[in-house]
Amino acid sequence: MWGGLCVWHLGLLFLGLGWAHGQSQTNFTRPIFLCGGHLTTDSGFVASEGFPSHYKPNSKCTWYITVPEGNVVMLQFRIFDLEADPTCRYDYVDVYNGHSYTVQKLGRFCGTFRPGALISTSNTMMLEMGSDGSTGGRGFLAFFSGGKPHVDENQFCGGRLTKAQGSVKTPNWPESDYPAGISCSWHISVEPNMVIEVKFEKLDLELDTYCRYDYVALFNGGETDDSRRIGKFCGDMVP
């Protein structure tokens, strides 16, 4: 139980080209992430100071992202591990729709559940991370890129689902294959007097005896890392 709601965490991971693959290369140099800065480029990674080491206490860092004119900023968190609090009073990441505190705040995030994709309405976005004096976590790692306005939302995945019923699907389903290297997490919550039933209509993932490569996993709980996994599936047999 969390916040009076029954919650599930539906995690989906497809291993392919990307951050994890890059770290396996012998000539890979791990980037050094600083406390804030100006990131002016087509795409790149932004992360908490010192990531993947634990972030510093009593700190505040601000990153200003700028992509080419005519594009919007698309931000996708890959790893998220901050001190948890229902209202994120202690450690947090704020995301703004521009380079100012006066513009729309796209969200404040903390805990270990990875936020869904965020999209700005212009070519700028601002992230601010604050921490208090207590022990924190590893922080965050996110990938940002420039894209055309009104982009097809099917390229994104993950987020919070609070309706009594609904559906989730992989990007590009059913027109084409899911992209390599994606990682999606859906957090499903319903009213306290209800339980959650998930029914798979179709499943078509890379087959492996132990589902080591591509898989979909379900967790009973999901707001914290110690939630119990209740299923892990791959291949084309519907669970």
Side-chain angles (χ1 to χ4, degrees), residues 21-43:
H21 181 265
Q23 293 190 74
S24 67
Q25 303 300 308
T26 56
N27 62 350
F28 176 76
T29 301
R30 185 188 299 276
I32 298 175
F33 294 108
L34 305 177
C35 178
H38 289 266
L39 306 172
T40 304
T41 180
D42 292 346
S43 62

Side-chain angles (χ1 to χ4, degrees), residues 70-187:
N71 289 262
V72 296
V73 183
M74 301 182 292
L75 182 75
Q76 296 174 291
F77 287 96
R78 300 290 179 85
I79 297 174
F80 204 83
D81 180 23
L82 274 69
E83 180 181 359
D85 176 71
T87 57
C88 300
R89 293 170 294 175
Y90 309 118
D91 297 357
Y92 63 86
V93 173
D94 285 339
V95 182
Y96 292 88
N97 188 19
H99 283 178
S100 169
Y101 296 103
T102 62
V103 299
Q104 175 193 16
K105 183 186 289 187
L106 298 176
R108 166 169 284 200
F109 310 101
C110 63
T112 57
F113 177 74
R114 190 171 66 251
L118 300 170
I119 306 176
S120 68
T121 57
S122 70
N123 68 321
T124 61
M125 180 181 284
M126 184 173 75
L127 279 70
E128 180 179 86
M129 177 178 172
S131 62
D132 65 0
S134 62
T135 302
R138 287 193 300 156
F140 73 90
L141 172 72
F143 178 75
F144 68 90
S145 60
K148 295 303 179 184
H150 312 296
V151 69
D152 185 357
E153 65 179 7
N154 285 336
Q155 68 175 296
F156 299 112
C157 57
R160 293 181 180 270
L161 305 173
T162 58
K163 297 186 296 183
Q165 63 181 15
S167 62
V168 297
K169 61 180 181 179
T170 52
N172 304 326
W173 176 271
E175 288 79 13
S176 58
D177 293 348
Y178 51 80
I182 65 168
S183 178
C184 314
S185 293
W186 292 272
H187 185 273

